[in-house]
Each structure stands twice: as C-alpha cells, then as structure tokens.
Amino acid sequence: MNALDKKLLRDFRRLWAQALAIALVLACGVAILMTTFGMYGALEDTRAAYYERNRFADVFAAANRAPDSILSEIRAIPGVRQAEARVVKHVILNVPGRLETVTGQMISLPETGAPLLNRPVLRSGRLPDPAATGEVAVNAPFAEANGLRPGDSFTANMGGRKRVLTLTGTLLSPEFIYTIGPGAMMPDAETFGILFVPARVADAAFDMQGAFNDVTLKLDPRAPEAQVIDRLDILLDPYGGTGAHGRDSQTSHSFVDAEIEQLRSTAIILPPIFFGITAFLVGMVIGRIIALERAEIGLLKAIGYSDVEICVHYLMLAGLVAVVGTLLGWAVGTWLSGALARLYAQFFDFPYLIYRVAYDAYAISGLLALASAALGAARSALHAARLAPATAMSPPAPPRFSRGLLDRALSRLRLSQPVMMILRSLMRWPVRSGLTTLGLSLAVAVLVASSFFSDALDTILDKAFYQSNRQDAMLLFSPGLRDDALQDVTNLPGVLMAEGQQFQPATLRHGHLEKDTALEARPPGADLSRIVDAAGHVIDAPPGAILLSERLAAHLEARPGDVVAIEFPDGRDEIHHLPVAGLVTQYVGLGAYVDSTTLDRLKRQSPRITAANLLIDDAALPQLHAVLKDTPELSGLVMLTRMRRSFEDTIRRNVTTMTTVYISIAMLITVGVAYNGARIQLSERARELASLRILGFTRGEVSFVLIGETMLLALLAQPLGWALGGVIASALARGSASDLYSVPLVLEPAGFARASLVVLAASLGAALLVRRRLDRLDLVAVMKTRE
Amino acid sequence: MSAPAAAPETMFRTEGLTKVYDSGLTKVHALAGVDLELYGGELSVLLGPSGSGKSTLLNILGGLDHASAGHVWFRDLELTGLGDRGLTRYRRDHVGFVFQFYNLVASLTARENVQLVTDVARDPMSPDEALEQVGLGSRMDHFPAEMSGGEQQRVAIARAIAKRPEVLLCDEPTGALDSKTGVQVLEALRDINERLGTTTAVITHNAEIRRMAHRVIWFRDGHIERIETNAERIAPADIHW
Ligand SMILES: Nc1ncnc2c1ncn2[C@@H]1O[C@H](COP(=O)(O)OP(=O)(O)OP(=O)(O)O)[C@@H](O)[C@H]1O
Ligand SMILES: [Mg+2]
C-alpha cells in the first residue's frame, strides 16, 4: 500500500467518531431510498408479472342481467381481444365456529373449468368440478383466517336458498391482491371471502341461465381503452349496465396503485434530506481537515504530487465515509425491505414473494451516497488542490474578526467574555453556523413531519369513525329495499336504533370533467351516519341540492353555487342537474351527498334504502348474527365496532414503530450535525480555549463557550425546523392523496414541542460528548502545536 | 575539501528574476532582478536579513512559486515557461526540499513519510536506505510525535534525498533546532552533497554555517549583495552556535 493510502486509512481511523456520525446519517438516506425504491420496483414488477401471467383483465363492467347473446357483440368491439362473462353476487355465509355473519363475493367459473381471464392461482386442492353442485373454491387468506381446508364445508345463503358448499381448493386471484369487502375500510379475511363456484350453480341460485351480470375484457396492447369502454357502456346500457371502467377503478388495483404511489413519493421526498445533510457534514469535516493539513498539502505538492492526486486523496476520505454509510444503509435497508415485504404480505395477497433483491436499488442508493459525499467534499478538495505549494506551508492568516455594526452593538450589551466569544464565532463563520442550524432544523422537521402522520391518522379516524359514522354496524342491501323494510330491521334482535341510507352509483359531470362515484342519500336529521362540515358542524344536504366532498369538488373544479350534472347507470339516459350547496371535508372516498327524497325523485322510485345503520346491544349480538345469516336480502355487513378496533390496533402498532424510527433518525441527524459542529469548533478554538484555561477560567466556564454555541445554534434551528417540518408534512400529505383517501395536514403544538425537545436533548448530548475531549485537553501540547 | 572541479555544469541560472507581492495598497518587491548561477555538485549557503527574499528565491527555484518577471533555467529547462503541471513534474523528478518545520505527515511513520516520495519518484532509493543515510536506521517505525526535532528534520532530509534528486533545497533546516542536533542535520546534508554530488542550497540565519559552503550568497532587499567563495571549508562538527 502506498504511503498516501496509509495516511488516508489512519486519518479515517482517527476521525472514526465523526465519520461514523456522518455515515449513520447517510445510512438513513441509503436505507430509506433503497427500501422505498426497491419496494416500489418490486411491487410494480411483481404486480406486472402477476397480471401478465394470469391475464388480469383491462376493462371491467357490471350489469343487472345481460343475455349471453350480446357477448359476441362485445367481442366484436374493435380492440377487444377476449371477453369473459360471469355471474358475480353477494352471498351471506355461515362458517362453522364463527359467531359473526360472514359475507362473500361469489364469482362463477366458466363451464370449461378455469377462467381465461383473471386466472386464479391454486394454493391447495383443485377448482370445483363444473358439473358438481356443492363445490366451492375460496381465496386462500379467507380459508386460512377461518381454518378452512379442502374437504371442509360451510353454508351459503345464495339468493334466499341455503346451500352447503364443500371446499375443493384455495386460490389467489389477480383481481384480489387487495381484498376489501363492501363498505369496509380495511381487509378482513375473517369476515369477507371470495367464492368461486361453477357457472351452473350460480345460474341456478340467482336465476341467471343464459345471462350474465359481469364481464371482463382483455384488450389489444394499443387498443383505445376509453373508446372500448364507451362502446361497452352502450351495449350494456339496456341491461342495467353500471358503467364500465378500466383498471384504475378496479378496487384491488387502485389500492396497490396508491401504495406504489406512496412509496414513490417517500422515495422522492425523504432521502434527499439525508443526502443533503451528508454532503454538508462531509464538506464541513473535510474543509476543517484541509485547513489543519495546509502544511502537509504544501509538502505533498513540493514533493511532486499533482493537484489531481491531492484532490483525489481528500475525495477518497469522503468516499470512505460514503462506503461505510452505504454498507450500513444496505444492511438496514435489506432488513427494512424484508420487514416491509412482510407487512405487505399481510395486506396484499401475491402468489409469490414480493421481495427480491433489487440490484438496481442497491446500485442507485450506493451511487447517490457516493455522489453526495463527493459533492460535499468537492469544494474543499478542489481548494486543497489549488493551494499554491509555497503559501500552503505558511500558516493561514488568523481569522479576521471585524468590528462591524452588529459587533459594536454587541459590545454595548456588556456581555461576558465567553458570551462574546460565542457570538463572535457565529459571525465569523456565518456559513458554517447557518448550515449547522439548517442541519439541526431538518432533524426537527423530520420529527414534525412524523408526528404529523400520526396526528393526521387520528384526525381521519376521529372524523370517519366518531363524527361521521357512529353506527355499530351497517347492513348493505343490493339492489335495495323499500324503505318500510327499515321497520323489519329495527325489529331484529338487539337493534336499538336503525336508520336508512341509500348508495347509488352515478357519474358526476361539471364542464368537461367527470367522475364516477356513488351518491349517498340519507333522510334529514340522520344521527348515526352524519355529514360533518369543515367546521365540525353536522349538516344535511338541502332538498334539491348536492354536497360534495372537497376532493371530489376539486376533481370536478366545482364550487358551491355551481351546477353539476348527474347520470345514473340505469339505462335511462337521463341527466339531472343539481346545484352544489356546499363542500364537506372527507378523507376517505369521494363522497357526494343528497337528501333521500331528492334521490328518490331523481330516480323516479318509491322511497328506498340500500343500507341500514344500526345501534346494537352487544349482549344480543349472537341472536342478531343468527338472524342475519338467514337474511338473503343482505349483500354485505360492516361491523364498525370491529373495524374501529382493528383499525386502531393497526394504526397504533404502526404509529409506535414509525415514531420510534423517526425519533432515531432525528437523533442520528442531530448527533451527526451537532457532534461534528462541536468537534470542528473545538479543533478551531483549542488554542483559544486552552488560553482561557491558562488564564484561570474553570472547566465549566470554558465548556460553556463550546456547549453554548452548539445550544444557541440548536435553539435558532427550532423555528426554521417547525417551518420546514410543515413544508415536508404538506408535501407528504399531497403525495399520499389518491382517489381512495387523502391525508389531512394536521399539525399539533405537541408535535412541535416533542420535535424540539428531542433535538435539543440530542444536541446537548452531542455537545457533552465533545466536552469530554475539552476536559482532557492537554494545555501544554495545544499551546506548543503550530497552527 | 576543495571547490568543485573546473568548468562545472550550471544547474540553475536566473536572469532578472523578479517577484512582486501585490497586496492591494502596497507592492512588495521580494525579488528585484536577481541574476544568479548555481553549479552542479555545489553546496551554497544563502544568507541575509529577514524579508530579504531568500525563501522567495528558493521557492521559485524549486518550482513552488511563479516569478513575476525574469527567467529561471534548470539546466536547459526554462522553469518560468512551465505551467502548474510542468512544475509538478519538475518537482517530482528533480527537486528535494527540506523546511524549517520538517513538515512531516503526522499520521505516517518515518519510513512511510519517506515512502510518500518513493511512491512517486522515478528511480528512488528504498525508504530504509534513505533513513540509514541520515543515521535513523533504528527509528524507522516511529511516528513524528515520537521523535525529537533533530530526528524529525533528518527524516525530512531522508525524504528529500530518497528520490536521488539533482538538487536539494533547504529553507532554514536548523532553524528550529539546538546547536547539537543542528550539527547532526548539517552533517547529513554535507554527507549527501559529497557522496551523491547533489547540488545543495541552504538558507540560514546562522552566519557560522556559511563556513561549510562552497559559496555564500548574501541577500539584501531582494538583491544579491555579494557572493563569496570559501577557499577553505570547515566540517559541521566544528561549527558552534
Ligand atoms: N505571500 C506573501 N504575500 C505578501 N508578501 C510576501 C509574501 N511572502 C513573502 N512576502 C514578502 O516578501 C518579502 C520576502 O520574503 P521572504 O519570505 O522571501 O524573506 P526571507 O528572506 O525568506 O525572510 P526570513 O529570513 O524571515 O524567512 C518579505 O518582505 C515578505 O514580507
Ligand atoms: Mg524565509
């Protein structure tokens, strides 16, 4: 090894604490980038492969009852490669050993056996025999959650007829990577399952011989999707078509999409913070080393080392920091990716492992780490290379402390000498002080942004579950019941109170903009499921007008007072116009609200309900479920009490993990910045501080200068950090918004306070670490060294 | 002990060499037109008051600094016509430096400090050989902090001679040393000059040291005041201060 490389390694060893502090910050950036970027790629690739291999459809449409004969017309639409019709219905299940009513989505399998599109992957057993009448295959997570194995049986209430079905196999389907029941906010494999039954069973149970109510299409690669959808809508319109849509509105697909988008925005927003701080810290440390090694640089040049060799020497020092940080980051990132993959495995049902080693994620994060360290060191290293050999060997001119206006003002204050030293040093090295403050403020910002997430989730939860939806359970009826059925619901065992509600799929238009959503209608004064406005007041949609959720309004660019056009997919081709009466803050879904009388009038129907919201006496739950299991009209059941609990559990678990992670990250940043800042300060002022000691100042008084400066910078960093945190939080909030949900920008004072406390404490800790060095300062040695 | 053989090779030649430091308000003429020749194998001593331009001249001869005007030749190579890259090449191939404050790299041992040079030189001696030459065979694995000033300076000399330079330029090599250690260093320098024939220029403030030189060059205010040739040279051991 040549001598210059030995110097490099020894310098690195001597600087290990500082290098490690920087490497840890860098490692955070590498780990986060690698994980988010790697998972982003893995999720997207896995999904793409799954879709491709299992022929996930491109266009989906549902109708009431369409004759099989129009299938050939559908196949004749230009661009359609394949079309497959089926019967899809909601069924009520009675699973042995489970008290709760289980709901399921029944999908018919073609006569030929396995479907051509959305081909399921068998996990165990086999598909039902097309000729058998009592066989069923279910999605694997549902079987697992309910302890069902091939050969086991359960009862299904199919269109009013109870049947015993025997499980032949479990499977996964590209249509149900994310499986969520109607009205639910989270997957719940225990109470919602997908059932695959032979076509003749479905046809018989729902009287669908020679007809279908659901069709999926595979298009030619470059077929115009929008035109196919239009043609399909026209064909299905007479048969109660509810509007065809592409993958973007397919539930499972859009949830996976939202997650991918979230990963992408995290990959874009967070890592640059760490890379930026690394660049600045490396710059600061290398800059200091070069200042200390002026003479050695001059000597190297005198010996004949070239500018490039010297520049590279210092860049390599930065490179070593980057290598350590990258390796640490890769290790943490590999672990984190595994953990995230396991988390995804809980929510997403992929047939193969999502996580695979994404070499490009390693490469990209490593390269960016190297680049940020090199960028940080570049200025100093170039400066070193440009030092003229002759001047490099003469000591640098002592820093010029100018007596500017500010300084004169300060002298007026008659501050103590140590305080003056602190303030002068800030003015003498304004760039470094400024960057240190910026670095510490980013730590504050990361914490503010993290507490924002948990506060935002609290707000969503509070809004969705305690202010808007206060019912214990929601019964869903498809296609709906006359509203006097509500009386029967009220008479169910254990029901303390029941309120009707109606959901109707509709297309809303404003100008050239349109959105498919569902109109929600309630009678005025509904108390269980309520509309809450931005100010927290409970409001009702006025008769003859519509209330829009803010995000839906934004989609349509509609403001209160504007008139929106409404079209129901009922084949009537009627367009209704309603004025927008106001906007509603809503984080989940794209709600549009009308009064139930208004909806009935628009649809020209007698008063109906499609849902009943219940208040339940818990003691009577077993009896209630027993009855519900025999209620064929029921198409879905949402147990909100159960959902609230599992939602809160999940969130609490995730928030605790996330908070721990973010606090660690912020402490790493703080220690990285504050420790390096204090070390450099100590190195620059060792002589000065030693002089103070020689003059008779106590250890405490001298360390006050050191710690005081660090803490002053940390204090200055707070307001900046709060502001930056707000900016990052709002970027994250914007990045998380999708059609499915949005994250409100909630910033609580407690979040700011906690961020400040953590950063101030970590700064103090870092300064105290350096203070130990100050205490051990060898006064004689310091005064003897030439600088 | 005698003057170098007749008709010696000219190692350095300067013509009207001028160096002006312009610090805004005032212009300092560190060198104000120096015409000088240094000969192959010669040991010369540069004397003169502080600020008279000795270091400036040595730095320019060694390719550490650029002249403001005038010309310098090393043999046939005009240094004043070289850019930074050329000067680096020149330093790497031909010149050894010794400075007042040793300028050793603190994180490298004696041997490794010498290795810094042997790593980049064309035809170096081994670091061990160079250290033996200055009598430090037994201290090779010591770090600078573990050596006395005289020992450190001898490491610096070993480092300077390890590449077998044609010229050795020493700026106050004994400036930081006491008389006894200073003599050790001077002996090392003379030894190298005699055994290897290295052209050596030594700046000093110690007029006694001039007595070991072939020629003594007196500086004043950026000019050469006079040049003396010693008819008789004495050994470093006989120098006291
Ligand atoms: N970088 C510089 N900027 C401005 N003036 C300089 C610089 N370097 C040297 N000088 C001036 O040039 C003149 C010659 O300096 P030089 O270092 O050559 O003197 P010297 O003879 O080596 O003195 P000493 O014996 O004290 O080392 C001095 O007046 C000095 O102040
Ligand atoms: Mg000098």
Side-chain angles (χ1 to χ4, degrees):
Chain A
M1 189 191 298
N2 69 39
L4 207 55
D5 291 341
K6 281 186 196 154
K7 170 179 180 305
L8 181 69
L9 289 183
R10 293 211 182 111
D11 285 349
F12 187 64
R13 204 157 53 194
R14 184 167 50 83
L15 291 167
W16 73 268
Q18 281 167 279
L20 184 68
I22 302 174
L24 285 173
V25 174
L26 184 57
C28 283
V30 170
I32 293 177
L33 181 67
M34 196 194 124
T35 306
T36 51
F37 182 81
M39 286 318 283
Y40 166 74
L43 213 52
E44 212 172 43
D45 293 353
T46 310
R47 187 178 67 170
Y50 190 16
Y51 281 1
E52 174 74 33
R53 275 187 233 170
N54 293 68
R55 305 192 54 76
F56 183 53
D58 297 309
V59 171
F60 306 79
N64 251 338
R65 189 177 199 286
D68 285 346
S69 56
I70 70 156
L71 202 54
S72 54
E73 287 178 60
I74 293 175
R75 292 195 175 116
I77 297 173
V80 173
R81 172 172 293 185
Q82 248 172 338
E84 195 167 41
R86 53 194 190 172
V87 174
V88 176
K89 288 283 184 181
H90 291 287
V91 293
I92 303 294
L93 309 179
N94 186 0
V95 177
R98 185 164 291 286
L99 163 79
E100 292 99 339
T101 310
V102 174
T103 59
Q105 183 171 340
M106 186 214 73
I107 298 176
S108 70
L109 293 165
E111 297 283 356
T112 45
L116 298 172
L117 298 181
N118 313 308
R119 277 146 68 164
V121 180
L122 268 180
R123 304 303 277 178
S124 68
R126 56 170 176 85
L127 284 179
D129 181 343
T133 52
E135 292 189 349
V136 65
V138 300
N139 62 323
F142 173 71
E144 199 176 315
N146 286 287
L148 294 172
R149 245 166 278 194
D152 292 349
S153 302
F154 55 86
T155 322
N157 189 331
M158 296 161 76
R161 260 162 297 183
K162 275 201 190 177
R163 280 169 187 273
V164 175
L165 297 175
T166 304
L167 198 64
T168 60
T170 61
L171 45 80
L172 293 176
S173 155
E175 275 186 286
F176 300 100
I177 294 173
Y178 189 82
T179 315
I180 189 163
M185 290 177 75
M186 263 180 51
D188 183 356
E190 290 183 3
T191 61
F192 180 72
I194 311 295
L195 278 64
F196 292 83
V197 299
R200 65 168 61 185
V201 176
D203 289 352
F206 294 97
D207 195 21
M208 293 293 272
Q209 283 92 349
F212 64 89
N213 72 349
D214 191 280
V215 62
T216 62
L217 313 182
K218 188 99 196 130
L219 306 186
D220 288 327
R222 266 180 302 282
E225 187 186 280
Q227 285 173 32
V228 173
I229 288 175
D230 285 347
R231 300 281 299 268
L232 186 57
D233 278 343
I234 294 168
L235 282 178
L236 289 178
D237 213 35
Y239 309 105
T242 53
H245 57 83
R247 286 180 176 178
D248 55 337
S249 298
Q250 204 263 347
T251 311
S252 160
H253 179 92
S254 53
F255 268 97
V256 181
D257 247 7
E259 189 54 44
I260 289 177
E261 187 48 39
Q262 174 116 45
L263 281 173
R264 209 180 64 91
S265 67
T266 312
I268 291 173
I269 297 171
L270 282 185
I273 296 178
F274 297 95
F275 290 129
I277 295 177
T278 301
F280 138 66
L281 287 178
V282 167
M284 191 163 94
V285 170
I286 302 278
R288 178 57 192 159
I289 291 172
I290 286 170
L292 283 176
E293 294 187 349
R294 274 172 76 92
E296 298 184 359
I297 293 165
L299 165 93
L300 289 173
K301 295 196 149 188
I303 292 173
Y305 280 88
S306 69
D307 294 356
V308 174
E309 284 166 313
I310 288 169
C311 191
V312 166
H313 173 66
Y314 289 102
L315 283 179
M316 296 249 284
L317 193 56
L320 280 180
V321 174
V323 167
V324 173
T326 303
L327 291 179
L328 281 172
W330 281 351
V332 175
T334 306
W335 174 80
L336 210 62
S337 302
L340 199 59
R342 278 191 295 281
L343 192 70
Y344 283 154
Q346 267 178 41
F347 291 103
F348 295 139
D349 304 320
F350 282 102
Y352 12 88
L353 210 58
I354 308 166
Y355 182 63
R356 50 169 178 70
V357 183
Y359 293 105
D360 46 351
Y362 284 92
I364 287 176
S365 57
L367 280 179
L368 280 175
L370 218 53
S372 53
L375 201 70
R379 209 178 69 97
S380 303
L382 284 177
H383 173 69
R386 275 200 298 263
L387 275 178
T391 50
M393 266 174 299
S394 54
R400 244 172 257 144
F401 287 90
S402 63
R403 287 183 55 84
L405 269 183
L406 196 60
D407 199 64
R408 251 169 272 159
L410 279 178
S411 341
R412 288 277 163 66
L413 295 177
R414 298 196 178 283
L415 299 165
S416 72
Q417 282 315 303
V419 173
M420 278 309 284
M421 284 175 72
I422 291 175
L423 295 177
R424 285 232 174 86
S425 146
L426 295 192
M427 288 185 276
R428 170 65 188 87
W429 287 282
V431 174
R432 198 184 68 215
S433 308
L435 285 176
T436 305
T437 308
L438 185 66
L440 293 176
S441 67
L442 284 173
V444 179
V446 166
L447 281 175
V448 169
S450 80
S451 66
F452 140 75
F453 247 117
S454 69
D455 289 342
L457 283 172
D458 281 348
T459 306
I460 295 177
L461 224 60
D462 181 60
K463 190 91 179 181
F465 285 149
Y466 294 98
Q467 294 187 42
S468 305
N469 297 299
R470 315 195 298 166
Q471 67 273 46
D472 292 335
M474 182 151 92
L475 308 184
L476 300 175
F477 309 106
S478 172
L481 305 172
R482 287 163 47 95
D483 78 339
D484 42 24
L486 198 59
Q487 193 50 51
D488 301 334
V489 173
T490 314
N491 291 338
L492 290 173
V495 172
L496 304 175
M497 185 175 167
E499 287 179 354
Q501 200 175 350
Q502 205 181 150
F503 294 90
Q504 288 295 346
T507 305
L508 267 57
R509 294 198 185 85
H510 180 242
H512 63 288
L513 300 164
E514 67 169 54
K515 194 81 203 164
D516 291 332
T517 180
L519 281 195
E520 242 184 277
R522 341 169 139 60
D527 196 41
L528 292 177
S529 170
R530 315 186 297 180
I531 308 170
V532 181
D533 74 1
H537 300 301
V538 178
I539 52 173
D540 283 321
I546 189 168
L547 294 172
L548 299 181
S549 63
E550 282 164 354
R551 273 176 316 125
L552 180 57
H555 257 296
L556 298 173
E557 291 178 9
R559 271 179 292 275
D562 291 352
V563 173
V564 293
I566 298 161
E567 188 180 348
F568 298 106
D570 54 7
R572 282 199 192 139
D573 283 338
E574 289 174 353
I575 296 181
H576 311 278
H577 295 275
L578 288 183
V580 178
L583 302 185
V584 179
T585 309
Q586 187 200 31
Y587 306 118
V588 182
L590 297 172
Y593 309 92
V594 291
D595 163 82
S596 37
T597 325
T598 307
L599 184 60
D600 291 333
R601 181 171 58 76
L602 295 184
K603 293 214 58 156
R604 287 192 270 124
Q605 63 190 11
S606 55
R608 290 181 80 78
I609 58 170
T610 65
N613 297 310
L614 309 183
L615 212 56
I616 300 172
D617 173 10
D618 278 353
L621 265 180
Q623 292 91 311
L624 177 63
H625 278 298
V627 178
L628 287 179
K629 287 171 180 173
D630 284 336
T631 308
E633 294 83 1
L634 200 60
S635 65
L637 170 68
V638 185
M639 297 301 297
L640 277 99
T641 321
R642 181 186 162 90
M643 196 159 90
R644 262 179 216 120
R645 205 178 317 118
S646 81
F647 218 80
E648 277 170 7
D649 279 354
T650 313
I651 286 180
R652 194 170 314 116
R653 242 195 341 267
N654 289 347
V655 162
T656 313
T657 320
M658 250 181 47
T659 310
T660 318
V661 167
Y662 277 105
I663 288 188
S664 322
I665 285 176
M667 301 229 299
L668 286 181
I669 296 180
T670 310
V671 170
V673 173
Y675 181 75
N676 274 299
R679 278 292 297 271
I680 286 173
Q681 217 193 103
L682 177 63
S683 138
E684 273 169 358
R685 308 173 116 195
R687 198 181 268 266
E688 203 173 299
L689 297 178
S691 314
L692 285 184
R693 293 272 288 119
I694 290 167
L695 289 177
F697 282 80
T698 64
R699 288 217 160 108
E701 283 165 332
V702 173
S703 44
F704 170 76
V705 176
L706 186 82
I707 296 174
E709 183 170 332
T710 302
M711 292 315 285
L712 181 60
L713 291 177
L715 275 177
L716 291 175
Q718 301 308 318
L720 186 58
W722 297 333
L724 283 175
V727 172
I728 294 175
S730 76
L732 285 172
R734 254 180 287 122
S736 315
S738 65
D739 270 8
L740 302 168
Y741 53 85
S742 71
V743 180
L745 185 58
V746 185
L747 297 166
E748 300 281 352
F752 290 99
R754 196 187 55 185
S756 292
L757 270 180
V758 169
V759 170
L760 288 175
S763 304
L764 188 62
L768 286 175
L769 276 180
V770 178
R771 187 206 134 117
R772 285 197 6 236
R773 288 179 166 266
L774 182 62
D775 287 346
R776 288 196 306 246
L777 204 60
D778 179 346
L779 299 184
V780 181
V782 171
M783 298 312 286
K784 252 169 51 180
T785 51
R786 189 177 72 102
E787 198 186 307
Chain B
M1 302 211 176
S2 62
E9 183 195 8
T10 302
M11 272 298 196
F12 285 110
R13 188 157 66 82
T14 74
E15 246 181 48
L17 189 63
T18 304
K19 176 76 183 181
V20 183
Y21 288 110
D22 191 351
S23 52
L25 297 173
T26 52
K27 282 194 166 87
V28 178
H29 284 259
L31 293 177
V34 171
D35 299 313
L36 176 70
E37 290 191 337
L38 294 179
Y39 306 114
E42 169 181 56
L43 194 159
S44 52
V45 162
L46 279 66
L47 279 170
S50 187
S52 57
K54 307 181 293 291
S55 296
T56 307
L57 175 69
L58 214 68
N59 287 342
I60 293 175
L61 292 182
L64 288 181
D65 211 348
H66 295 278
S68 309
H71 303 273
V72 185
W73 288 269
F74 169 76
R75 296 219 180 94
D76 293 332
L77 179 68
E78 183 175 355
L79 299 183
T80 33
L82 293 178
D84 271 338
R85 195 183 294 262
L87 285 179
T88 301
R89 188 82 253 155
Y90 159 70
R91 291 198 300 268
R92 187 185 283 219
D93 293 341
H94 304 289
V95 193
F97 284 100
V98 179
F99 303 100
Q100 178 178 3
F101 293 107
Y102 334 132
N103 284 327
L104 298 183
V105 175
S107 56
L108 296 179
T109 62
R111 183 192 274 117
E112 290 159 355
N113 262 285
V114 178
Q115 203 195 330
L116 269 181
V117 169
T118 58
D119 282 343
V120 295
R122 267 191 310 200
D123 172 32
M125 50 180 98
S126 78
D128 295 25
E129 185 186 347
L131 284 164
E132 297 283 2
Q133 300 252 358
V134 295
L136 282 179
S138 57
R139 313 291 312 257
M140 298 206 222
D141 292 319
H142 286 67
F143 283 95
E146 298 163 347
M147 288 185 280
S148 75
E151 286 163 344
Q152 290 185 51
Q153 189 61 300
R154 280 186 283 154
V155 174
I157 293 172
R159 191 176 58 190
I161 61 166
K163 70 165 95 160
R164 307 182 204 276
E166 283 115 303
V167 294
L168 189 56
L169 304 176
C170 313
D171 195 343
E172 300 187 41
T174 58
L177 304 174
D178 66 18
S179 156
K180 187 161 153 284
T181 42
V183 166
Q184 288 173 348
V185 166
L186 292 175
E187 271 177 338
L189 288 177
R190 196 195 57 163
D191 190 45
I192 281 146
N193 171 252
E194 284 184 354
R195 277 194 303 112
L196 308 177
T198 311
T199 307
T200 307
V202 179
I203 294 179
T204 180
H205 276 276
N206 184 337
E208 285 301 301
I209 292 177
R210 76 176 189 278
R211 294 165 65 197
M212 66 179 272
H214 294 117
R215 285 200 300 159
V216 183
I217 299 152
W218 295 85
F219 265 77
R220 179 170 297 277
D221 298 336
H223 293 283
I224 295 174
E225 196 182 35
R226 64 194 149 94
I227 297 178
E228 286 172 3
T229 305
N230 282 332
E232 196 136 314
R233 298 167 64 199
I234 65 166
D238 299 328
I239 300 174
H240 301 283
W241 67 85

